[in-house]
Amino acid sequence: MATKMNLKFDKYWCKFSTIMAIAVIFYPRYKFHIIEWAYKKIYGSSSDLELDLFKGKLFSLFEEYESMNEKSKGVESSSSKVDKTVDSYMTDFDDFFSCEFTSGDKSELESYLEEPKLPRVGDLNVLEYWKALQG
């Protein structure tokens, strides 16, 4: 029975581990450290290889997101339905955000991952945390 359960776990883990791992990275108390820990527990001696594969997927996904974000900025600026005051306000925010977090050759993702983790004590509302970083 345990063998059958392990086969099912492996089947579904392979399909969803990347998405779950990416999601947990954006929890500021864990970031990439929990992925390193979990992959060592799950993959053992091959964890370094699996981590490298995961990092490749993570940064590839982020690059795709950046590319889509750049394309949507061009579409938004040509839209006549956008309130010009709000658009101007958000463009100012975009300029501030890009200067603040993309210094040097590091992407926003790299900068986020290098920041220290938040302590695991006390309550943390993740949605409020990310909302506060926007404004």
Side-chain angles (χ1 to χ4, degrees):
M1 181 178 200
T3 303
K4 288 181 183 179
M5 289 174 66
N6 194 31
L7 288 172
K8 283 188 177 186
F9 173 81
D10 288 342
K11 175 184 173 184
Y12 293 108
W13 177 253
C14 291
K15 290 183 180 179
F16 297 106
S17 65
T18 302
I19 298 300
M20 291 169 44
I22 289 171
V24 79
I25 283 175
F26 293 103
Y27 188 67
R29 289 183 171 169
Y30 298 137
K31 297 192 179 188
F32 200 78
H33 303 281
I34 197 163
I35 302 307
E36 292 172 321
W37 172 80
Y39 273 40
K40 285 179 184 176
K41 293 279 188 187
I42 294 168
Y43 296 111
S45 62
S46 64
S47 65
D48 289 339
L49 174 63
E50 294 296 330
L51 279 170
D52 288 342
L53 292 172
F54 173 75
K55 283 181 187 177
K57 292 175 186 176
L58 174 65
F59 283 93
S60 174
L61 181 64
F62 182 74
E63 288 168 7
E64 186 175 330
Y65 165 78
E66 280 187 319
S67 143
M68 289 174 55
N69 195 26
E70 289 298 319
K71 289 178 186 175
S72 70
K73 282 182 184 177
V75 170
E76 286 177 12
S77 64
S78 64
S79 173
S80 61
K81 295 181 180 179
V82 176
D83 180 0
K84 297 301 179 190
T85 307
V86 172
D87 189 41
S88 172
Y89 184 75
M90 294 311 295
T91 301
D92 185 38
F93 170 75
D94 291 338
D95 293 340
F96 166 77
F97 192 75
S98 66
C99 292
E100 185 73 20
F101 296 105
T102 57
S103 61
D105 293 336
K106 293 182 184 177
S107 69
E108 292 176 59
L109 177 60
E110 290 170 315
S111 297
Y112 167 76
L113 292 174
E114 289 177 0
E115 292 172 357
K117 298 182 319 275
L118 296 179
R120 290 191 329 107
V121 286
D123 291 334
L124 174 67
N125 182 327
V126 177
L127 296 178
E128 290 298 322
Y129 170 83
W130 285 107
K131 186 177 178 181
L133 290 177
Q134 288 184 4

